[in-house]
Amino acid sequence: MTTPDALSAAEAYCARLRLSDAARAALLAAATESDEPIAEIHRLLDAERHDPANPAFGSIEPRLRMALDGATRRGNTLEQQAFARDVQGRVRLASMPPLKRASFTSRPWSSNPLRALLRSIGRLLLGNRSGAGHAGDPGLPTPDSPAPVGAWHVAASIRRFILVFLVIAQTTVATYYMTAVLPYHGRHALEVAMLILYAILFAWVSAGFWTAMMGFLQLLIGQDRYSVNSKRVPDTRLPDSARTAILMPICNENTARVFAGLRATYDSVMRSGQGHAFDFYILSDTSDPDIRVAELEAWLTLCRDVGGFGRIHYRRRRHRIKRKSGNIADFCRRWGSDFKYMVILDADSVMSGACLVRLAQLMEAHPSAGIIQTAPRAAGRDTLYSRIQQFATRVYGPLFTAGLHFWQLGESHYWGHNAIIRVAPFLAHCSLPRLPGRGALSGEILSHDFVEAALMRRAGWAVWIAYDLDGSYEEMPPNLLDELKRDRRWCQGNLMNFRLFLTSGLHPAHRAVFMTGVMAYLSAPLWFVSLLLSTALLATQTFAVPQYFTEPNQLYPSWPEWHPEWAIALFSATATLLFLPKILAVVVILAKGTRNFGGGVILTLSMLMELLFSAMLAPVRMLFHAHFVTAALLGIGIVWKSPPREDSQTPWSEAIARHGFGTVLGLAWAALVYYLEPAFLWWLLPVVGALMLAIPLSVWSSKVTLGRLFKSGRFFLIPEEAVPPRELRWTALGFKRAPDYADFKAAVVDPVANALVCAAGTARPYLSAATRRERLALLQTALVRGPSGLDAAQKNMLLTDSLALSRLHLLVWTANDVHADWGTKRT
């Protein structure tokens, strides 16, 4: 006879089933005639597959149909598209297409300079000068591009020769004048060290300056005839052979934001009229059990709402090998050969259908292109810090990107996302072996994008930047500390990549890319050391006895000379190199129209405020980057975590913990310099003053209220805020309206969520006796301790085993000793 508690539990269970009121009432009425009404509910849902030992497992399929809600797509039921059967006839969720395996193997790195020299001599002796893939150097691939060297290649070589000449000439002149500024004109040991550092840092600034100058001419005058110009390619229908996979690797991300952006991109592609050429793949490395369940439900909801089964796919890897690059490699081995191209997205990426179609059309029009990288525009954040960074990247970014393209042409950067890749050469040449050795700079390659671009070019395929292509978007870190966390990952990745600088066969342009990646972070400790040397020189001049005879047999004394006017002139010239590109970027916007930037006056004021803000942040970043480089070189590893995908504000406690050392250093440094020479403090004040203000600057700039206050005054306004593109509006709206997706607890308790996760898992009925005992013990632990009594590994084990999860689902509804946190115990 049915007890009142069992009847109450059955009523609560039926209330969670997605059935009509009449069907639910009939099911409950039939079930209550049994002594075990909930087990009877599962038998009635699917009598054909009823398993008395595990009734909830047999009812997975009908419960899953409730999640599909009877929707249709192109005349076929979603049930036919979403379901698959295993070899035993059990229902599985068809979240991925059938496998089509391909080879994706890597060659060992060859970076021994002596070995490379011997191979070069061998090639000369053998009379083979083809450059790769021959008997003299079997480790190198044979170029298989239709046009490994084109007319643009000669132009690129000439341009880079001019760039090197300009940088060396400008650095030579600046270093000469710096020698004249120093009191002993470079004859003191400290002065020699300062001159060396000054020359390196000035060359780095000079390279950026000339990059910006050519970008200015490109944007103001017109297109480069060698560029991959989207306007020259006709807007035609993509052929059926140009199938493109859009990949979104994710790992413990904000599920609502990820799927809002993905849906906006998908809808935009469908609106383009060329959706037949694109398939979407969500490649998850998520380890958090709650997010894992949410992703699965969000995928099912998306497919159901847009009719995306068979076109939008989802897969979660069980083993996170090589992080993002390993996730992409896993896709390439399993399904890559089905596609001609693939587009890589980040979790915060949004792209318009027009942009994606244009990328595929550009690849069709340039058969020797291996990678075409877009220039993503930052948008979507509201903190003051992120709005300033969005403004900076939107105003200054196009100048530098166009300049990079001018100097690099088909040997450009690849930034790992919002780019299209030709799959066949990627499979053939871009697999990444581990870096040999031990320590933080060995093992799995972290910043894989630069390396993949270098390997693609080594095989003869061009790498381009489509800097004039609209419709590519990303998000910025919401605050300074989150940006610095990201920078630490990038710093270690770039330092690892520099180990490949001497790898055989790489093009000099991509060796230069590795060098610039290192200098982006190595410049910070060099600057820091240079400042320390200047302080040491000041102390030497204050306390040490002047040295008038610095060379052997010197007849006449060397008198210390100070030329403050020369120092001011040199400082002004350096400041011009740093700030003139930003001014010219504003000039380009003034020439083309400033309405969507708040108008000319607001734009100019925003630029001035950004200049001040970036100048104050530069010493703070310098200190952190110096620490990152030092830690990496000492072999101190990092934890590689996904960045935040929403506005997050910095609490005072975290700011004090992270910036406290810098604040104390700034105070002590200022006191020391004031003690040595009060007048010199004015020169050092921009550095030490910024360090002392780092804590409030970090906190206040992370405020959403301040960001929106400046937004209301149209300061730091960008076109993506003034007139938001459709895709960004859809993303924001989808994120706002996103439901509360299921979590681990729901996967155990809720009938529909449980069926969804069970259908995505694996049924393993033939386990060893020890494993079966272990699973039964885990079920009992989960039952009596509740969801909070399990760790992430235990939860993931249950989510993977559909037999165990379905048993736990029935137990939490029927057992007497169930923990109250499951929410099924009747009182």
Side-chain angles (χ1 to χ4, degrees):
M1 182 176 178
T2 306
T3 64
D5 286 346
L7 180 60
S8 178
E11 291 175 348
Y13 191 86
C14 283
R16 291 174 177 255
L17 295 173
R18 298 179 188 177
L19 297 171
S20 66
D21 292 341
R24 192 182 300 117
L27 182 65
L28 181 62
T32 53
E33 296 179 1
S34 170
D35 291 341
E36 298 178 340
I38 292 183
E40 182 66 11
I41 288 172
H42 291 289
R43 189 191 71 78
L44 293 170
L45 286 174
D46 196 343
E48 180 180 345
R49 294 181 177 82
H50 177 63
D51 180 1
N54 189 1
F57 185 75
S59 67
I60 289 175
E61 185 173 342
R63 286 187 284 137
L64 189 57
R65 288 198 194 100
M66 299 176 192
L68 299 179
D69 206 22
T72 59
R73 173 179 179 263
R74 296 181 182 177
N76 298 322
T77 64
L78 288 178
E79 174 188 334
Q80 293 173 336
Q81 296 172 335
F83 289 179
R85 301 283 176 185
D86 61 16
V87 294
Q88 296 174 332
R90 299 187 179 99
V91 68
R92 292 291 309 276
L93 201 60
S95 63
M96 293 295 286
L99 292 177
K100 188 176 180 180
R101 292 192 178 275
S103 175
F104 189 42
T105 57
S106 56
R107 298 178 175 86
W109 299 115
S110 176
S111 56
N112 188 315
L114 180 59
R115 185 181 303 168
L117 177 63
L118 293 176
R119 285 176 175 173
S120 299
I121 296 173
R123 287 199 298 270
L124 292 174
L125 294 177
L126 292 171
N128 188 335
R129 307 187 185 200
S130 60
H134 39 69
D137 198 351
L140 295 183
T142 301
D144 51 8
S145 166
V149 177
W152 62 266
H153 190 267
V154 177
S157 298
I158 295 173
R159 291 178 182 184
R160 288 193 283 265
F161 176 80
I162 294 173
L163 175 62
V164 171
F165 172 78
L166 290 172
V167 170
I168 291 176
Q170 198 173 41
T171 303
T172 301
V173 172
T175 306
Y176 170 77
Y177 279 99
M178 184 64 179
T179 304
V181 167
L182 295 174
Y184 289 104
H185 308 308
R187 289 188 289 268
H188 193 283
L190 286 177
E191 292 183 349
V192 172
M194 288 179 61
L195 285 172
I196 294 173
L197 293 178
Y198 179 80
I200 296 172
L201 293 171
F202 192 92
W204 173 243
V205 172
S206 178
F209 172 78
W210 290 113
T211 298
M213 288 303 98
M214 297 316 301
F216 173 72
L217 294 177
Q218 290 284 96
L219 296 179
L220 202 61
I221 296 175
Q223 290 287 340
D224 186 343
R225 68 191 183 98
Y226 293 109
S227 69
V228 175
N229 190 343
S230 63
K231 297 180 177 63
R232 298 196 197 112
V233 177
D235 187 10
T236 57
R237 180 177 173 82
L238 291 169
D240 293 338
S241 61
R243 292 191 64 202
T244 303
I246 299 176
L247 312 183
M248 180 175 276
I250 57 176
C251 180
N252 297 321
E253 306 284 354
N254 184 313
T255 304
R257 169 59 186 84
V258 166
F259 281 85
L262 188 66
R263 173 159 186 177
T265 302
Y266 177 87
D267 287 342
S268 185
V269 168
M270 293 300 111
R271 284 173 61 93
S272 72
Q274 305 228 43
H276 67 281
F278 298 91
D279 282 4
F280 290 73
Y281 287 80
I282 306 154
L283 307 176
S284 175
D285 271 342
T286 293
S287 58
D288 185 295
D290 292 327
I291 300 177
R292 174 181 171 181
V293 175
E295 287 175 358
L296 194 59
E297 185 184 28
W299 167 78
L300 185 77
T301 302
L302 173 61
C303 292
R304 183 189 64 202
D305 292 348
V306 303
F309 287 103
R311 190 170 296 279
I312 304 175
H313 308 284
Y314 171 84
R315 178 174 187 264
R316 177 188 171 271
R317 288 198 302 169
R318 295 186 182 179
H319 305 289
R320 192 188 181 195
I321 300 172
K322 293 186 177 181
R323 300 178 176 87
K324 179 180 176 180
S325 64
N327 207 351
I328 295 170
D330 186 73
F331 164 84
C332 289
R333 292 189 185 96
R334 293 169 179 265
W335 299 280
S337 58
D338 271 341
F339 299 93
K340 190 173 184 180
Y341 311 118
M342 61 182 180
V343 175
I344 312 298
L345 302 181
D346 261 359
D348 59 355
S349 296
V350 177
M351 296 186 73
S352 70
C355 180
L356 289 166
V357 169
R358 210 68 183 136
L359 283 174
Q361 291 172 339
L362 284 170
M363 292 295 264
E364 288 289 292
H366 298 85
S368 62
I371 301 175
I372 299 179
Q373 171 71 62
T374 67
R377 293 175 176 172
R381 297 288 200 197
D382 280 334
T383 65
L384 177 60
Y385 182 86
S386 59
R387 291 200 65 248
I388 295 175
Q389 299 309 306
Q390 288 170 182
F391 173 83
T393 58
R394 186 65 173 85
V395 174
Y396 318 137
L399 202 73
F400 286 94
T401 306
L404 276 176
H405 179 272
F406 178 84
W407 297 118
Q408 295 175 328
L409 293 181
E411 286 140 356
S412 290
H413 283 69
Y414 163 50
W415 295 310
H417 61 95
N418 293 40
I420 191 168
I421 300 174
R422 197 177 298 269
V423 174
F426 188 87
L427 285 172
H429 307 296
C430 295
S431 181
L432 303 178
R434 292 169 59 90
L435 285 174
R438 302 175 65 181
L441 299 184
S442 60
E444 298 171 1
I445 291 177
L446 301 180
S447 295
H448 57 92
D449 37 21
F450 285 8
V451 183
E452 288 163 348
L455 296 179
M456 185 72 80
R457 183 58 194 145
R458 184 173 73 169
W461 297 87
V463 182
W464 297 92
I465 298 179
Y467 67 89
D468 62 337
L469 194 57
D470 295 329
S472 177
Y473 310 102
E474 63 177 348
E475 291 179 349
M476 298 296 293
N479 56 65
L480 174 60
L481 290 180
D482 283 328
E483 181 192 85
L484 291 171
K485 293 173 187 176
R486 181 196 67 180
D487 282 353
R488 180 164 189 178
R489 299 193 304 271
W490 289 0
C491 174
Q492 182 165 335
N494 287 350
L495 290 175
M496 290 178 68
N497 290 349
F498 191 68
R499 291 187 57 189
L500 303 174
F501 184 80
L502 296 176
T503 297
S504 299
L506 296 187
H507 194 278
H510 284 284
R511 298 187 199 274
V513 169
F514 289 161
M515 176 65 76
T516 58
V518 170
M519 277 302 298
Y521 296 96
L522 188 61
S523 58
L526 295 181
W527 181 26
F528 184 59
V529 172
S530 179
L531 292 172
L532 292 179
L533 289 176
S534 67
T535 305
L537 183 61
L538 177 65
T540 300
Q541 295 298 320
T542 302
F543 297 115
V545 177
Q547 297 180 14
Y548 301 109
F549 296 90
T550 58
E551 297 177 4
N553 304 317
Q554 183 176 339
L555 296 177
Y556 300 100
S558 299
W559 303 103
E561 296 179 278
W562 297 95
H563 296 283
E565 68 281 1
W566 292 3
I568 294 173
L570 189 60
F571 175 81
S572 301
T574 306
T576 300
L577 265 63
L578 289 170
F579 299 126
L580 182 59
K582 296 188 175 185
I583 297 172
L584 293 180
V586 172
V587 170
V588 172
I589 297 174
L590 290 172
K592 296 185 176 182
T594 61
R595 180 178 180 182
N596 291 334
F597 290 90
V601 175
I602 295 294
L603 172 64
T604 304
L605 291 175
S606 297
M607 179 201 68
L608 294 174
M609 286 189 288
E610 191 281 332
L611 286 178
L612 177 62
F613 185 72
S614 62
M616 295 182 69
L617 288 184
V620 180
R621 290 190 176 116
M622 172 198 70
L623 195 61
F624 275 89
H625 288 179
H627 168 68
F628 298 161
V629 172
T630 304
L633 295 178
L634 291 177
I636 302 174
I638 60 170
V639 178
W640 194 278
K641 293 183 179 180
S642 299
R645 304 296 181 187
E646 60 279 336
D647 289 321
S648 58
Q649 303 182 126
T650 302
W652 284 97
S653 57
E654 185 178 7
I656 293 171
R658 297 300 182 92
H659 298 293
F661 172 78
T663 301
V664 174
L665 176 64
L667 288 168
W669 201 346
L672 174 63
V673 170
Y674 184 81
Y675 170 74
L676 295 175
E677 177 56 61
F680 190 76
L681 181 60
W682 293 105
W683 290 93
L684 197 63
L685 189 60
V687 174
V688 295
L691 293 177
M692 289 186 283
L693 294 175
I695 293 174
L697 188 67
S698 182
V699 172
W700 292 337
S701 65
S702 73
K703 298 294 185 182
V704 174
T705 52
L706 286 178
R708 291 173 179 167
L709 178 64
F710 277 87
K711 186 176 181 179
S712 65
R714 301 178 65 81
F715 291 104
F716 309 116
L717 187 69
I718 59 175
E720 287 71 26
E721 289 179 328
V723 185
R726 179 187 293 114
E727 292 76 20
L728 294 184
R729 295 200 309 270
W730 289 348
T731 299
L733 188 61
F735 184 38
K736 182 178 180 180
R737 293 181 176 177
D740 293 329
Y741 292 114
D743 56 9
F744 172 77
K745 177 181 174 181
V748 173
V749 175
D750 184 76
V752 177
N754 176 261
L756 173 62
V757 177
C758 286
T762 304
R764 292 188 174 89
Y766 307 111
L767 299 174
S768 66
T771 303
R772 284 200 301 270
R773 287 194 298 271
E774 179 184 322
R775 296 292 165 87
L776 290 174
L778 178 58
L779 291 180
Q780 187 62 28
T781 299
L783 191 66
V784 300
R785 293 186 181 179
S788 60
L790 303 175
D791 60 26
Q794 291 172 320
K795 291 178 180 179
N796 279 318
M797 183 182 294
L798 290 171
L799 293 175
T800 303
D801 188 341
S802 56
L803 285 172
L805 187 64
S806 57
R807 283 194 177 96
L808 182 59
H809 173 66
L810 185 65
L811 286 172
V812 297
W813 283 100
T814 58
N816 294 323
D817 54 349
V818 60
H819 195 280
D821 285 352
W822 289 117
T824 57
K825 187 174 182 180
R826 316 312 297 172
T827 58

